[in-house]
Amino acid sequence: MPEKPYDHIQIELKWHTRWENADFYKAEENSAKPKFYVLEMLPYPSGTLHIGHIRNYSIGDALARYKWMRGYNVLHPMGWDAFGLPAENAAIANKVPPREWTLQNIAAMKKTHRRFAFSYDWDREVSTCEPNYYRWNQWFFLKMLERGLAYRKRALVNWCPKCATVLANEQVVEGCCWRHEDTPVEQRALEQWFLKITDYADQLLADMAQLEGGWPERVLTMQRNWIGRSEGAEIDFKLASTIQPIRVFTTRVDTIYGATCVILAPEHPLNEQILTADQQASAKAMVDARAGRDPGDIAKEGFFTGHFAVNPFSGEQVPIWVGNFVLMGYGTGAIMAVPAHDERDFEFCRKYGIAVRPVIRPVDGALGVEPGLKEAFPDDGIVENSGQWSGIASEEARRQMAAYAEQHGFGKAAVTFRIKDWGISRQRYWGTPIPVIHCPTCGVVPVPDEQLPVILPEQIAITGAGRSPLENVPSFVNVACPKCGEPAKRETDTMDTFIDSSWYFYRYCDPHNDRQPFDPAKIEYWFEIDQYIGGVEHAILHLIYSRFFTKVMRDLGLIKNSEPARRLFTQGMVIAEGAKMSKSKGNVVGADMLAEKFGADTARMFVLFAAPPEKEVDWRFEGAEGIYRFLGRVYRFVTRNLGGAGGSGASDRQVRRKLHQTIEKLTVDFETRWHFNTCIAGIMELMNVLYAEEANISAAAIQEVAEKLALMLAPFAPYLSQEIWEELGREGPVFRQAWPAFDPELAKEDEAEIVVQVNGKLRARISVPFGTPKEELERLALADERVQVHIAGKQVKKIITVPDKLVNIVVG
RNA sequence: GGGGCUGUGGCGGAAUUGGCAGACGCACCAGAUUUAGGUUCUGGCGUUCGAGAGGACGUAAGGGUUCAAGUCCCUUCAGCCCCACCA
């Protein structure tokens, strides 16, 4: 026997992912029980394995194997095949990337783009370089363009002057560029492509009812807040001096008689018309000062424009101000300030000496005592000092006043969403090229279908100049307009890679289709997804985007379901030294080390053993050895006992009982809560019993135990269980076998152990046959010596008895 | 500022509905095997009093409900996450 007998079945983790993908997770269309499990784990093409991914993968893989053994048809899509990449396993195994240029460039980009901080993005973005996949991204984009769901407009973006590049919001750290911590980020207006996710805001919200119960409440709440629907009214305040009225959004039109000024966002378009040059400069300074900063740290500031607007209800002239706390991105970018009934307005107006005028009386209180105190901001109440509306309850007043505004043409009831349209333009080299051509005469022209996909040029220079590097590739940019044939320019922006992840699971169902994104019939077979597994960090990004895409695809007639996934499981993040593990923090733990030292079985089992899957786990290396030891114990036990004469059989009954108890425990856990750490602990307990009783187990019992062990370990340690399976002389993949059944009779203990308490404290234990009557239990408990000691000289007041479990004697 | 989650030994964590707190593993200690180390096997391992049998205390802190609370309720503290001037 070799010194470390388990070592020869240790296989590299990376190889493992391919091996599995190739052979065992192909869908079987004829299965009686179609089930679909999507995992967010894709195999890595390079040597970098992130421990967080091992976790995600191990959880999903254990479930997939279990479900398979339970007779489900499991689609366990593993990435590359779905994107039509060269599927040769050997290429991956030998760490030869499928497209070398891609990876080289990614390595270069890695140095300048923070997006790589997210391991999840890594595989997504690699996949994005594949024409076979982004062809269908482009197809979708053009379909959306046709329907007005994709559009182009000028928008403000973060800009770092030192990098000379656009930054995503996440790349702005405390108002400065993440790479230049002393360089404040500026706002620049650039032409950007957007998808109209706001058209679906109501549906995204309403359809959450279908997800109730299947998705974690926390994720639904986050999405609800993110979408942020609020009902209110839009009201026009006419300017005395110009033609264009200021439209404000308010949820409290009932307070409009208390509006003592109108405040514009510093970026408000009207500012260009009404502000002096100096004022415009101050407004711009406000915008710059605000970028990326913690709003709590910014004092409210503003200035009077010198102009006035008319309150259409009261006819009063109110001053127009510009305020840094008014957001252009929400509502209309202008508000009416009602300082008596809004804390923010109050803070602003008090600072600048603007009048405070209460108009809402609490139902059981007086009007506006000491404005500014918390109590002085009643939510709803009775409208006062408001002309014909005085005396009406807030809610009713809101309804009536909105209707009145609409009748008289100066406003209407309106719903505003917090969610904004999805800006998908990226000035990055890679990503799916946006398939349009800009023609000087025809305008924006879609790339005709037969010219798809638009492919990225391979030889490019990463300039870091802040414009897409594609602009410097004349062969890519200079094209003929498909409409008029005259010289035109190709769009150089690429798509956000969240596009790719928004529908990848549909593509998984039909990965090699080259005529359409997928065959709708196949989607109908597999969808909705029964169980989706992913990190909670995607609650409002990926998980909203993919819901949006699903609805768009449904409206395109491609699919029938409105939601992608019926159930969502959010696994906890992997934390290192108290901080979220990310490449930018440099605290990423590679799993390679773990896999190389102990092998794939140990690596995956260890991350499952560390904590239940929904829990955050602080990563530490110690402890992996325990799993390695355990697997060695299993292997040694099986190999040294199989084929032997066996022991007396005196412990068979006990061993069988433990075995069936263990199977029961695992089965229940897999069916309910996926606490794999306790599953593994259960198997360890079984092993401890086996070691203790080893000499007294018959050959037949050994055989049974070894077989069931292999089956139970299959979801967690596939290699070892396969090895045992073959040691047993059995053939084929072990997880093609049925999950072992447990016999409740065998699992049952012979006798019930009764806990005897006196005044709630444990004093004795007695063994009795199951079903012993209450009176008998009480008699036995009272008779126990140790109980006697504690009740001696005291009066027994009460006895609580739980059959087969507990007797509690209350004495006084 | 708003919303949510979590607090159990030296550490990761068990305890399914209120019913034996600390399963399982790590670390540590001791013993066996070994020339030694490593490996492997066996045993110990919350705090404290006691020679021992055994007792007392103990699940962030305080209070409550209950025969019985890690678990339910209230208050406080600490940590983490998400959103954040959303009119």
Side-chain angles (χ1 to χ4, degrees):
Chain A
M1 193 181 286
E3 196 178 61
K4 289 185 181 177
Y6 180 51
D7 280 357
H8 73 282
I9 49 171
Q10 294 291 299
I11 301 164
E12 213 186 333
L13 202 54
K14 283 157 281 192
W15 173 229
H16 180 50
T17 56
R18 293 305 305 167
W19 179 71
E20 235 167 19
N21 183 30
D23 296 331
F24 296 112
Y25 284 112
K26 291 280 160 65
E28 287 184 354
E29 300 278 334
N30 298 327
S31 165
K33 286 193 266 179
K35 284 283 162 178
F36 184 21
Y37 284 79
V38 166
L39 314 168
E40 281 199 350
M41 175 64 197
L42 309 176
Y44 275 53
S46 76
T48 316
L49 268 171
H50 187 299
I51 197 73
H53 281 89
I54 299 283
R55 183 170 199 218
N56 195 322
Y57 174 70
S58 304
I59 292 165
D61 191 44
L63 274 167
R65 282 168 189 278
Y66 171 78
K67 287 290 177 184
W68 190 283
M69 294 174 84
R70 292 301 299 220
Y72 287 86
N73 183 12
V74 179
L75 182 57
H76 183 174
M78 297 303 292
W80 296 109
D81 273 0
F83 304 124
L85 282 165
E88 294 76 29
N89 297 346
I92 304 290
N94 296 330
K95 298 183 194 172
V96 175
R99 289 171 71 105
E100 232 165 303
W101 61 268
T102 297
L103 292 166
Q104 275 167 9
N105 284 313
I106 284 167
M109 300 292 278
K110 213 166 158 180
K111 293 185 185 119
T112 52
H113 287 261
R114 209 188 182 192
R115 281 191 76 73
F116 281 105
F118 239 63
S119 58
Y120 181 82
D121 294 313
W122 171 255
D123 25 46
R124 202 141 44 80
E125 288 171 0
V126 170
S127 72
T128 308
C129 295
E130 281 313 311
N132 281 322
Y133 192 66
Y134 61 62
R135 170 177 181 179
W136 302 112
N137 278 343
Q138 291 171 347
W139 188 89
F140 275 125
F141 178 87
L142 292 175
K143 287 283 176 203
M144 290 194 194
L145 189 64
E146 240 170 60
R147 281 160 198 250
L149 287 171
Y151 66 94
R152 190 170 143 90
K153 74 164 187 201
R154 235 178 150 68
L156 288 170
V157 290
N158 302 305
W159 179 269
C160 171
K162 263 196 188 160
C163 304
T165 190
V166 172
L167 299 175
N169 287 336
E170 315 84 68
Q171 291 165 344
V172 181
V173 182
E174 288 171 11
C176 298
C177 169
W178 64 283
R179 289 176 63 215
H180 304 102
E181 289 176 12
D182 50 356
T183 308
V185 167
E186 297 170 10
Q187 301 285 299
R188 288 207 180 174
L190 291 176
E191 292 276 330
Q192 305 272 295
W193 283 97
F194 291 87
L195 298 186
K196 256 191 174 167
I197 195 169
T198 50
D199 272 13
Y200 285 82
D202 261 325
Q203 280 186 50
L204 286 168
L205 208 54
D207 288 352
M208 268 182 226
Q210 297 176 34
L211 305 177
E212 214 72 57
W215 282 40
E217 200 45 53
R218 178 156 74 120
V219 172
L220 294 179
T221 304
M222 281 165 76
Q223 292 208 355
R224 238 173 245 123
N225 294 340
W226 186 259
I227 295 168
R229 181 181 203 274
S230 51
E231 285 182 19
E234 286 179 0
I235 304 292
D236 290 334
F237 280 65
K238 282 209 176 83
L239 269 76
S241 53
T242 57
I243 324 103
Q244 192 185 5
I246 296 171
R247 172 156 282 208
V248 303
F249 174 77
T250 179
T251 54
R252 295 297 304 272
V253 67
D254 55 314
T255 65
I256 197 164
Y257 280 76
T260 49
C261 66
V262 165
I263 310 176
L264 301 172
E267 314 93 315
H268 198 283
L270 192 63
N271 291 350
E272 286 179 21
Q273 292 176 45
I274 65 170
L275 297 194
T276 64
D278 282 357
Q279 286 175 328
Q280 286 191 31
S282 331
K284 188 179 180 311
M286 277 181 190
V287 175
D288 289 343
R290 189 167 66 184
R293 271 177 65 196
D294 185 341
D297 296 348
I298 305 173
K300 287 186 178 48
E301 276 175 24
F303 56 82
F304 176 47
T305 61
H307 296 265
F308 291 84
V310 179
N311 180 333
F313 278 89
S314 65
E316 184 187 7
Q317 288 230 344
V318 293
I320 302 170
W321 286 65
V322 168
N324 65 346
F325 71 103
V326 179
L327 304 174
M328 195 57 223
Y330 183 77
T332 59
I335 63 163
M336 59 176 206
V338 185
H341 301 297
D342 182 285
E343 283 187 76
R344 292 156 306 178
D345 295 349
F346 181 79
E347 193 187 329
F348 186 84
C349 290
R350 185 174 53 182
K351 180 167 175 180
Y352 292 107
I354 301 167
V356 177
R357 190 190 310 147
V359 292
I360 301 291
R361 175 171 60 79
V363 176
D364 51 358
L367 183 67
V369 211
E370 272 202 72
L373 294 178
K374 187 86 182 160
E375 315 76 77
F377 300 118
D379 289 338
D380 276 7
I382 309 299
V383 177
E384 298 291 357
N385 294 335
S386 302
Q388 66 184 103
W389 318 100
S390 300
I392 302 176
S394 289
E395 205 188 333
E396 182 56 26
R398 282 198 287 273
R399 227 186 337 262
Q400 290 186 19
M401 291 168 95
Y404 180 88
E406 188 154 13
Q407 260 172 37
H408 292 78
F410 60 78
K412 60 173 189 200
V415 173
T416 290
F417 292 94
R418 184 188 170 282
I419 193 170
K420 293 172 205 149
D421 279 338
W422 178 9
I424 57 158
S425 287
R426 294 292 178 270
Q427 292 75 43
R428 294 210 168 100
Y429 159 56
W430 81 44
T432 306
I434 294 175
V436 299
I437 290 162
H438 299 281
C439 172
T441 44
C442 310
V444 172
V445 182
V447 173
D449 201 50
E450 63 276 11
Q451 285 178 30
L452 296 181
V454 178
I455 301 174
L456 291 168
E458 301 199 5
Q459 299 303 323
I460 56 108
I462 308 287
T463 59
R467 306 292 303 171
S468 168
L470 297 176
E471 288 182 6
N472 301 325
V473 185
S475 62
F476 180 80
V477 176
N478 297 320
V479 288
C481 169
K483 242 188 208 166
C484 66
E486 294 299 307
K489 300 270 183 200
R490 195 185 288 286
E491 172 70 59
T492 55
D493 280 353
T494 52
M495 293 182 203
D496 183 2
T497 51
F498 272 98
I499 299 266
D500 306 78
S501 57
S502 295
W503 66 284
Y504 71 99
F505 31 80
Y506 291 98
R507 181 69 180 175
Y508 279 147
C509 298
D510 194 10
H512 303 294
N513 198 325
D514 57 4
R515 295 178 323 280
Q516 44 186 345
F518 44 75
D519 177 354
K522 292 186 177 170
I523 303 302
E524 222 178 314
Y525 172 77
W526 287 109
F527 270 70
E528 297 171 344
I529 298 166
D530 291 289
Q531 184 70 60
Y532 198 83
I533 302 169
V536 70
E537 65 272 18
H538 289 121
I540 48 173
L541 293 168
H542 168 56
L543 293 173
I544 281 193
Y545 295 148
S546 54
R547 291 184 60 219
F548 164 61
F549 250 72
T550 293
K551 291 172 197 307
V552 171
M553 281 158 55
R554 178 204 57 198
D555 291 350
L556 290 171
L558 289 167
I559 58 175
K560 291 191 172 153
N561 52 301
S562 290
E563 287 292 333
R566 194 168 299 154
R567 285 169 57 84
L568 168 70
F569 183 87
T570 48
Q571 105 261 6
M573 286 184 298
V574 178
I575 308 269
E577 286 147 23
K580 190 198 294 185
M581 197 181 276
S582 71
K583 288 190 180 167
S584 65
K585 290 189 183 117
N587 63 351
V588 168
V589 180
D592 292 27
M593 214 168 46
L594 192 61
E596 270 157 31
K597 193 166 177 196
F598 299 114
D601 280 353
T602 302
R604 70 166 64 216
M605 206 156 162
F606 175 53
V607 295
L608 292 178
F609 187 61
E614 72 277 11
K615 210 183 143 143
E616 255 176 22
V617 52
D618 197 349
W619 174 255
R620 54 190 68 240
F621 204 77
E622 305 89 45
E625 219 158 306
I627 297 292
Y628 182 73
R629 264 201 290 264
F630 163 71
L631 292 175
R633 269 162 79 84
V634 174
Y635 183 75
R636 281 191 301 275
F637 178 84
V638 172
T639 47
R640 74 175 167 236
N641 286 300
L642 271 185
S648 65
S651 302
D652 280 8
R653 197 176 150 70
Q654 182 195 348
V655 164
R656 277 221 173 82
R657 182 190 302 141
K658 188 70 188 173
L659 176 66
H660 284 261
Q661 286 172 347
T662 308
I663 298 170
E664 179 176 13
K665 180 184 173 41
L666 262 66
T667 307
V668 169
D669 267 0
F670 264 114
E671 293 297 332
T672 56
R673 47 177 210 166
W674 309 350
H675 279 201
F676 303 130
N677 54 333
T678 57
C679 290
I680 294 166
I683 306 176
M684 285 173 168
E685 276 184 60
L686 172 63
M687 276 321 294
N688 289 345
V689 171
L690 291 175
Y691 264 64
E693 306 299 330
E694 189 168 358
N696 304 315
I697 310 174
S698 70
I702 295 272
Q703 186 78 18
E704 184 191 350
V705 163
E707 186 185 311
K708 301 275 163 73
L709 257 179
L711 295 170
M712 281 192 288
L713 279 170
F716 311 110
Y719 287 106
L720 177 64
S721 57
Q722 184 65 39
E723 189 73 11
I724 295 173
W725 196 243
E726 284 166 26
E727 291 273 347
L728 283 159
R730 311 288 293 267
E731 283 176 2
V734 64
F735 50 88
R736 286 281 176 107
Q737 304 300 317
W739 180 254
F742 63 92
D743 182 340
E745 280 308 307
L746 284 176
K748 205 173 173 187
E749 296 287 345
D750 292 337
E751 291 207 305
E753 191 183 53
I754 306 293
V755 170
V756 184
Q757 297 176 331
V758 178
N759 285 347
K761 287 193 177 170
L762 173 72
R763 296 303 178 191
R765 286 162 225 261
I766 50 181
S767 279
V768 297
F770 281 101
T772 302
K774 211 174 156 181
E775 298 72 29
E776 177 69 1
L777 285 180
E778 287 173 13
R779 195 186 62 75
L780 287 168
L782 287 168
D784 190 278
E785 265 177 42
R786 299 190 43 220
V787 172
Q788 284 289 330
V789 174
H790 287 95
I791 61 174
K794 290 170 185 159
Q795 198 190 347
V796 175
K797 283 184 172 168
K798 199 177 184 183
I799 301 179
I800 285 100
T801 308
V802 183
D804 294 338
K805 244 183 175 175
L806 168 136
V807 177
N808 188 11
I809 301 162
V810 186
V811 296

